[in-house]
Amino acid sequence: MSGQAWFDRNTHHWDDWTLESLLAAKGSTTVSLVVPARNEAATVGDVVTRVRSALVETVQLLDEIVVIDSDSTDDTYAVASDAGAVVHRSSEIRPDLGSVPGKGEAMWKSLFVTTGDVVVFMDADLLDWDTHFVPGLLGPLLTRPDVALVKGFYERPLVSGSDVAAYEGGRVTELVARPLIALDFPELGGLVQPLAGEWAVRRSLFEKLRVPTGYAVELAALADTAATLGIDAIAQVDLGRRAHRHQALRDLGAMATQIMAAAALRRGSRDSLDHRDVVLRQYHPASAGAPGAIEAVDRVVAVGERPPAAGFLAGSLA
């Protein structure tokens, strides 16, 4: 299938379905919303409260809302719990499997504490968004049995007055992920925002995937799904508009390192990298010394991957 043919067949808009039609299509299918969070006390409560009101209490599209707290040092756990979510600390889920803090591990470990046939992931740092994100992502999964994974994309208000810039995927997407896709996974080139944190997947697929422990989980899931089920098992949905807190440029180096490691594994150029740490050397202003002096700061970046969770589910906490 050509890139344009895939795009035309598999690109949807969030309002292609009504809530009533999705509830009818849902039938006995169960749906879990998972919100991975680390130090997001300022925003996670609003995310949980609004989704719970609209999609649990008003209409029963969601069966559970679960926040996975990845070593937060603020009040993320308490805020999310008070808002009505079931909250688990990532390090306390299946401690026998060890813990490598990061977004990917939080998502992987969510399989042990959720029950949904479909799992929807939403970031915890949303600022400009609406609850239609969830039904939008569920649309293809509830109405098309051939679809196993759905990615969201949205307008990101980064540069005023530019329609092109508004749909850019972010710095790591444009400078790292998209070039890697062009070189190694061209079949994924039709995805508008491959690293978007809002996506949904059938549990039966996700529990069979290798999951990077850090920020590369989205790219890895796309590449592995296309390789095992074909590109037509992936769909994408325009969710409208989204804003979030941006990370400092210096912090994006670790994210880029993790994404490049995941791509390297999938092109077969490296070994398993199970829970491996790599050193990312960055130069910062010296904490002491002459004005203008700099010092090298070595950051340890986890680039390992979790194996498919299916083999561990017999001992699940769920």
Side-chain angles (χ1 to χ4, degrees):
M1 175 179 291
S2 71
Q4 186 61 51
W6 175 86
F7 186 94
D8 293 342
R9 169 171 166 75
N10 292 291
T11 301
H12 303 271
H13 195 270
W14 67 267
D15 61 0
D16 286 348
W17 311 271
T18 65
L19 277 175
E20 291 75 18
S21 68
L22 290 180
L23 286 169
K26 180 176 184 283
S28 60
T29 302
T30 53
V31 180
S32 301
L33 174 67
V34 172
V35 183
R38 177 179 171 84
N39 293 333
E40 301 294 355
T43 51
V44 69
D46 180 63
V47 170
V48 172
T49 299
R50 290 172 61 184
V51 172
R52 183 175 179 81
S53 175
L55 301 176
V56 177
E57 296 171 351
T58 303
V59 298
Q60 295 181 340
L61 189 64
L62 291 175
D63 295 280
E64 59 183 351
I65 300 174
V66 177
V67 171
I68 307 295
D69 182 8
S70 184
D71 285 352
S72 292
T73 56
D74 66 2
D75 292 329
T76 292
Y77 187 103
V79 170
S81 182
D82 289 346
V86 175
V87 188
H88 295 274
R89 292 186 174 88
S90 180
S91 61
E92 296 175 358
I93 301 172
R94 291 298 301 272
D96 58 303
L97 301 178
S99 180
V100 183
K103 181 180 181 182
E105 168 148 307
M107 298 167 75
W108 181 78
K109 282 194 168 182
S110 74
L111 290 172
F112 299 100
V113 293
T114 58
T115 59
D117 302 315
V118 172
V119 182
V120 180
F121 295 107
M122 283 182 61
D123 284 344
D125 61 349
L126 301 181
L127 297 174
D128 184 4
W129 66 287
D130 209 338
T131 55
H132 68 261
F133 280 21
V134 175
L137 291 168
L138 287 172
L141 290 169
L142 296 180
T143 61
R144 292 182 53 188
D146 58 315
V147 171
L149 187 155
V150 178
K151 290 291 295 185
F153 68 93
Y154 24 68
E155 179 184 359
R156 302 172 78 243
L158 297 177
V159 180
S160 61
S162 172
D163 292 337
V164 175
Y167 280 90
E168 288 180 355
R171 292 164 289 177
V172 175
T173 295
E174 302 304 330
L175 298 177
V176 181
R178 206 175 297 286
L180 283 172
I181 286 172
L183 290 169
D184 296 324
F185 313 104
E187 67 277 12
L188 301 176
L191 286 153
V192 178
Q193 288 162 350
L195 301 187
E198 281 62 53
W199 57 292
V201 62
R202 297 192 192 279
R203 173 182 292 269
S204 58
L205 168 63
F206 193 51
E207 68 185 18
K208 296 176 184 176
L209 300 181
R210 291 179 300 152
V211 179
T213 54
Y215 285 103
V217 58
E218 286 87 4
L219 178 63
L222 289 169
D224 291 348
T225 299
T228 56
L229 300 180
I231 188 63
D232 210 34
I234 300 171
Q236 63 181 352
V237 177
D238 184 344
L239 298 178
R241 181 182 175 95
R242 177 208 200 269
H244 64 285
R245 176 176 52 80
H246 297 288
Q247 296 191 50
L249 181 61
R250 183 180 294 158
D251 294 334
L252 300 183
M255 185 185 302
T257 301
Q258 292 166 335
I259 290 170
M260 293 179 72
L265 282 174
R266 282 153 183 81
R267 74 169 73 97
S269 60
R270 301 188 69 173
D271 60 17
S272 170
L273 293 179
D274 185 30
H275 295 178
R276 181 176 299 178
D277 293 335
V278 300
V279 174
L280 176 65
R281 171 155 290 195
Q282 297 174 307
Y283 290 89
H284 297 196
S287 56
I294 59 174
E295 61 183 358
V297 177
D298 290 342
R299 297 184 61 186
V300 176
V301 181
V303 296
E305 298 198 356
R306 287 295 196 175
F312 300 109
L313 288 175
S316 171
L317 300 177

